[in-house]
Amino acid sequence: MLATFGNTDAWSIAQSLARQANCPWIADLKDNWRAFVPYGFRKLTAQRFADMAHMTVYSEAHRDEANRWFSQNKTVIYSGYDHAKHSSKLPSVITDKIVLSGSLYAEQNLDTFIEGVRQAVVASPSDTAPTLVYAGNETEKFLHATASLKGICAVECLGFLDSASLSDLQATARVNAYIANPSSLFQQKLPELLAAARPILVVPGESAEAVRIAEATGGILHRCHDASAVANALEASAKQTGPVRSTKIDAYSWAAQTERLRAIMQSMIEQAR
């Protein structure tokens, strides 16, 4: 039995059912324990679930955080990406679109990204100005932040897209961009964007774990802490016309990660016999 932490309700239910069925249960940790559990309750709450047989975690960073509170063995299971939506056939045409997707988080980081776009467009010939495209739920926030780009470059706000449409958009982008939220420990977007096989730009930076994954899978990841770094990354991406896909990204597909989880659950069943 496996239950995912976004709050402790699911863990409590799994723990209760496992006791009734006399079977082991696995705690899945997909969120930052310190960000979700109030100070003063973190150790006490963790002790309530000391009977878990194993723990799966969202990333190495989540494992390191979990080690502070839980002594059980842990296995990293990445969220991964849908391999079926990233076919081996690469798009024949790459557009001149800068695609920003997902949540926008801190306004200062969004402003840094937009200012970098402005600098890049101003420095480039007018006939090669890219289009900035946003796909996500924070339409109002995005439109407010891009007011400074009026008359400088085209801006498109697509709102929420289903996963297939988003994958198609990202696969043809000049560059895919996202705003990172450090308190999340690991950004789910990374494997999906690496599978899109286009250069990636992230503000305000990324973890060492993310960098290792990008390097191991042959991806291009630009970590941008200021507007000038954003502008430089956009200039570099304009010259990257070919794909940056490696079959090594397959290890992060849903199928591959599901197999890792299946093996863990099978091991727990065999140990309980």
Side-chain angles (χ1 to χ4, degrees):
M1 185 177 302
L2 180 143
T4 298
F5 170 80
N7 57 54
T8 57
D9 288 357
W11 282 11
S12 295
I13 294 169
Q15 182 183 59
S16 177
L17 291 174
R19 287 172 177 172
Q20 293 177 50
N22 192 29
C23 73
W25 71 283
I26 299 171
D28 182 42
L29 186 75
K30 279 190 165 51
D31 288 300
N32 184 344
W33 189 255
R34 279 182 290 179
F36 278 72
V37 181
Y39 179 80
F41 291 90
R42 294 164 185 164
K43 185 175 182 180
L44 181 64
T45 304
Q47 289 173 344
R48 288 179 52 199
F49 302 104
D51 62 339
M52 67 176 73
H54 194 82
M55 176 176 276
T56 54
V57 291
Y58 197 55
S59 69
E60 293 176 5
H62 285 79
R63 180 194 60 204
D64 294 342
E65 169 65 17
N67 281 338
R68 296 168 58 95
W69 315 102
F70 303 94
S71 62
Q72 286 80 2
N73 291 332
K74 301 168 185 71
T75 302
V76 175
I77 304 290
Y78 290 104
S79 179
Y81 70 96
D82 187 350
H83 189 275
K85 293 187 175 67
H86 295 82
S87 66
S88 59
K89 182 179 180 180
L90 295 167
S92 57
V93 177
I94 300 300
T95 67
D96 205 19
K97 293 181 178 180
I98 301 167
V99 176
L100 175 66
S101 57
S103 298
L104 300 178
Y105 301 113
E107 289 187 10
Q108 65 184 38
N109 293 330
L110 176 60
D111 291 342
T112 294
F113 171 71
I114 298 301
E115 172 58 19
V117 172
R118 190 195 67 79
Q119 290 181 15
V121 174
V122 169
S124 65
S126 58
D127 59 345
T128 61
T131 298
L132 175 60
V133 180
Y134 174 60
N137 289 320
E138 298 184 75
T139 297
E140 184 175 347
K141 187 175 182 178
F142 172 77
L143 292 176
H144 176 76
T146 55
S148 61
L149 297 179
K150 186 175 182 179
I152 296 177
C153 73
V155 174
E156 294 181 12
C157 189
L158 303 179
F160 175 82
L161 296 179
D162 62 79
S163 60
S165 298
L166 181 60
S167 297
D168 289 343
L169 174 68
Q170 292 169 339
T172 60
R174 175 209 281 193
V175 60
N176 285 302
Y178 66 97
I179 308 297
N181 178 21
S183 68
S184 296
L185 301 181
F186 187 81
Q187 316 299 312
Q188 178 181 347
K189 302 178 187 71
L190 183 64
E192 297 174 347
L193 294 180
L194 288 169
R198 301 299 305 141
I200 304 167
L201 185 161
V202 56
V203 177
E206 258 296 6
S207 66
E209 179 180 5
V211 173
R212 287 198 304 272
I213 292 173
E215 291 177 346
T217 57
I220 298 174
L221 179 63
H222 299 281
R223 295 174 290 165
C224 303
H225 297 280
D226 55 35
S228 61
V230 172
N232 291 337
L234 292 175
E235 180 182 359
S237 69
K239 302 172 184 177
Q240 179 67 46
T241 57
V244 288
R245 173 172 289 159
S246 165
T247 56
K248 292 181 179 179
I249 189 60
D250 293 350
Y252 296 88
S253 68
W254 285 353
Q257 295 300 305
T258 298
E259 177 55 30
R260 286 171 57 83
L261 180 58
R262 187 206 63 78
I264 293 167
M265 297 184 76
Q266 183 64 40
S267 175
M268 294 299 102
I269 291 171
E270 292 173 356
Q271 289 179 32
R273 287 175 177 170

